[in-house]
Amino acid sequence: MIRKRSMQLFGLLIMMWAFTVQAQEKQTFSTFEEAMSGTRPLNGNSGPTNINWINDGEAYSFTERGENGAQIIKSYNPDADEETLIFSTEGLKVPGSEDPFEYVSFQWSDDSKYLLFQTNFRPVWRRSGVSDYYYYSIEEKTLDLVAKDAQTAELSPNGKKVGYERGGNLFVFDLASKKETQLTDDAEDGFYNGRFGWAYEEEFGLAQAWEWSHDSEYIAFWQSDEREVPIFQMTDYQGTHKEWVELPYPQVGDTNPTVKIGVINVEKQSKEWMQVPLEEGYIPRIYWTAEKAKLAVMHLNRAQTHMKMYMADADNGKAQMILEEESEAWIDVFDFFAGIMHYAFFPKDAKEFFWITDKDGYAHLYRYNYEGELQNQVTNGDWEVVFVHAVDSKKKKIYYSSTEDSPLERQLYVINFNGKGKKKLTDMVGRHTIDMAPEATYFIDRYSNVNTPTKVALKNTSGKTVKMLEENKRVNEALKSVAFITPELSSFTNSEGDKIDIAIYKPVGFDSNKKYPMVLDVYGGPGAQSVYNEWRASAWHQYLVHNGYVVIQVNNRGGGGYGREFEKVVYKNLGHAEAQDFAEAANHMVELGYVDASKIGIRGHSYGGYMSSFSILNHPDVFNVALVGAPVTDWRLYDSIYAERYMGLEEDNEEGYINSSSTTYAPNLKGHMYIAHSTMDENVHVQNTFQLVKGLIDNGKDHDLKIFPPGAHGVAYNYPSYILLMNNYINYLDQHLK
């Protein structure tokens, strides 16, 4: 027995040695560019692209690229297990020219017989731009121009007209008569019909400021007036005489854009204004209802703590408030980070609606009738509903993703309207991203966890897999040749008694007896979440762990997925709870024994840039280096819709604004701070960085500043500038933490 055990031990040592040699032979990244190219195959394939559900949810379309670069649209029918070619740009010319036809995006008609192509896109802001639109008949294979230089366009539900906004006015194009009709004619600089200005588009998430009614008889639209909003100017300083870009940008306390909701009867070309008082507030959402000529209009006060829902008559404008909700903190109407555009849902075939609110402590679904009377709370528990994918009014079922299993996961559930019959439809541990047919016939499930590359499956609404669309076996093959580091999901309890989830990336060849430098990679903004149980192949993270750094990410307080108390503790006091969690996460890592307490850095961009600067200045004995990208440094300098949502009105919270400014703590800097910003950043103005820099200089605090004249909010503006920025970050860390 002793001899046998010795032989077994010897064999185990040989295996461990062989594994170590094999691991040492795997590729590591010595440059950031190597990491970018080396991690590309590790991300894998996300399955069919540009999914659109067609034929009443019985099929979906997807896009491909031909061998010669042609743009191809195909459809797939699950019942027949059949692919069909719908469209190809192969040999197709722009009508009336010899230029090859290319498109940016497309939309289907409701009957799945026509396509509306968006082409020649010229960006304006994050979501908007000017384009030309072409109409394509699948049966006749004809391509016709319907709108030139339009900012948005959309087919009517009956497929007979195309509506569009151009130059701040609304138009319709009749597809049978080929005739354009102008519906509004009073636009001017700063005054638009069917178009948002920068602030509304950026902070309420929508680019199209108008909606067709379900019966195609009406168009409801926002009229936006920015003429009294202060003008922000920016330039990239090119040329002999620099050119200034101007845009209306309301900072905290400034005059805001004013809006009102109009409804046009398209055939009569008559217009009515919905009688919803603005009262210095906002109208972030409108919804056509199941009742003819009835429009739901959502209103928020300026502080975004009081929501009112109105039911308005499209024919006479009369509006009645049916529901209101007040909160001690902000009220959410969408989720920017998760791409969730709506928290209110009005089925087009049932006279009831659903509203996601956290009024019981967690975000849950509530069911109301058109009089605003609560019918029932649909979901409840110490977890959150994060996304509604489909509302099936015929079967009275609603499909949603939630955090019920874990805030680190997203799983799909179905439940009856009355809150009974809940069933989980996804099974693998991890994060599931769902693309479901509006008719609730099928869904595409993209899922992964930290140890499993993304898989993509087509499933029916019982949760049964109909077809595996992607298993990413090539990722597993690529992993054999790369020293890829997956994160360890862990947690600690902060000094306030909250469980804080973290992801830990350990260096290649990790030795628990060594002391390593560490980088916290942070964002930290309200509602955001950094750590999920999902597959990630970040070039930045992999480069750092291949070069001797520990990297961690943190789900700090203020983030989403953990309930109202966890998220909204930051209200009127941004920065402090988040920075405390980052500092305590760093100290927790030091206590584990393998992180050098004198070599801790923090890096972030945008809100993350705010947090990296705020953290090193408020916890100077914890953080030795801060990499600060495009930071907000004083919330009074940011746009009013965002800043006042989380900080309240300045007259009610002046001290809070001062205490939440990084610049306030400039005298505290002990370590090293590297700041990068662009003068063409229309989102977080470079004024933020310059005020922080002046605060540092006033106090004799040295720092490193890199200004990119072009670049917008991302700082970098092309591939060379991106590589330069990332190498600057790397060199700075190496200089001060190694």
Side-chain angles (χ1 to χ4, degrees), residues 79-338:
D79 286 343
D81 190 22
E82 182 178 72
E83 283 188 8
T84 303
L85 177 65
I86 301 294
F87 174 84
S88 174
T89 59
E90 178 82 39
L92 192 61
K93 306 292 185 183
V94 174
S97 80
E98 289 301 310
D99 298 328
F101 182 80
E102 296 178 332
Y103 64 84
V104 176
S105 68
F106 63 88
Q107 57 188 266
W108 283 90
S109 61
D110 278 11
D111 62 8
S112 306
K113 293 180 179 179
Y114 302 93
L115 292 164
L116 184 67
F117 287 105
Q118 179 187 23
T119 70
N120 191 25
F121 178 75
R122 290 141 279 166
V124 176
W125 306 125
R126 187 195 295 266
R127 299 171 182 84
S128 60
V130 176
S131 302
D132 303 330
Y133 291 86
Y134 289 83
Y135 182 70
Y136 180 78
S137 168
I138 293 171
E139 181 179 348
E140 299 175 4
K141 301 190 185 307
T142 54
L143 187 67
D144 297 296
L145 176 68
V146 295
K148 193 169 181 62
D149 298 329
Q151 194 139 316
T152 54
E154 186 178 293
L155 280 160
S156 62
N158 64 12
K160 294 181 179 180
K161 291 180 171 63
V162 176
Y164 47 96
E165 179 270 317
R166 181 176 64 216
N169 282 312
L170 287 165
F171 301 78
V172 290
F173 184 88
D174 188 283
L175 295 165
S177 66
K178 311 292 185 186
K179 179 184 176 183
E180 178 185 87
T181 301
Q182 186 166 347
L183 301 176
T184 65
D185 60 3
D186 55 350
E188 58 178 85
D189 286 345
F191 187 85
Y192 324 111
N193 299 290
R195 182 196 296 181
F196 296 119
W198 184 90
Y200 253 76
E201 177 186 318
E202 176 69 19
E203 301 304 353
F204 289 129
L206 300 178
Q208 182 167 310
W210 57 276
E211 296 286 341
W212 280 107
S213 62
H214 301 311
D215 58 12
S216 304
E217 293 185 15
Y218 303 90
I219 288 177
F221 68 98
W222 278 263
Q223 185 180 80
S224 303
D225 187 350
E226 297 190 298
R227 291 173 295 187
E228 300 301 317
V229 176
I231 299 296
F232 166 68
Q233 293 183 310
M234 60 185 180
T235 181
D236 62 4
Y237 296 95
Q238 300 305 296
T240 304
H241 300 285
K242 56 188 176 295
E243 295 184 8
W244 292 97
V245 174
E246 297 184 348
L247 76 147
Y249 184 107
Q251 292 177 317
V252 168
D254 283 346
T255 299
N256 267 338
T258 58
V259 301
K260 59 182 180 178
I261 303 300
V263 177
I264 298 169
N265 184 309
V266 176
E267 290 302 318
K268 295 179 181 179
Q269 296 182 42
S270 59
K271 180 172 59 183
E272 291 288 342
W273 297 106
M274 303 301 98
Q275 296 167 23
V276 175
L278 187 62
E279 299 173 335
E280 289 295 314
Y282 305 105
I283 299 178
R285 292 293 185 271
I286 59 175
Y287 298 98
W288 284 107
T289 72
E291 187 172 342
K292 184 177 177 61
K294 283 293 187 291
L295 182 73
V297 181
M298 182 185 291
H299 177 274
L300 284 176
N301 65 334
R302 178 157 180 162
Q304 300 173 65
T305 57
H306 190 178
M307 186 278 291
K308 298 178 182 178
M309 185 75 76
Y310 291 84
M311 199 68 77
D313 191 311
D315 290 322
N316 58 36
K318 292 181 180 179
Q320 179 181 358
M321 187 182 70
I322 62 166
L323 177 68
E324 66 178 326
E325 180 172 314
E326 294 187 71
S327 172
E328 293 180 357
W330 71 90
I331 293 174
D332 290 304
V333 298
F334 80 113
D335 184 342
F336 169 85
F337 303 100

Side-chain angles (χ1 to χ4, degrees), residues 25-41:
E25 291 174 351
K26 288 186 176 183
Q27 179 189 7
T28 57
F29 307 130
S30 58
T31 69
F32 183 70
E33 288 182 277
E34 282 184 6
M36 288 188 66
S37 61
T39 55
R40 197 169 294 121

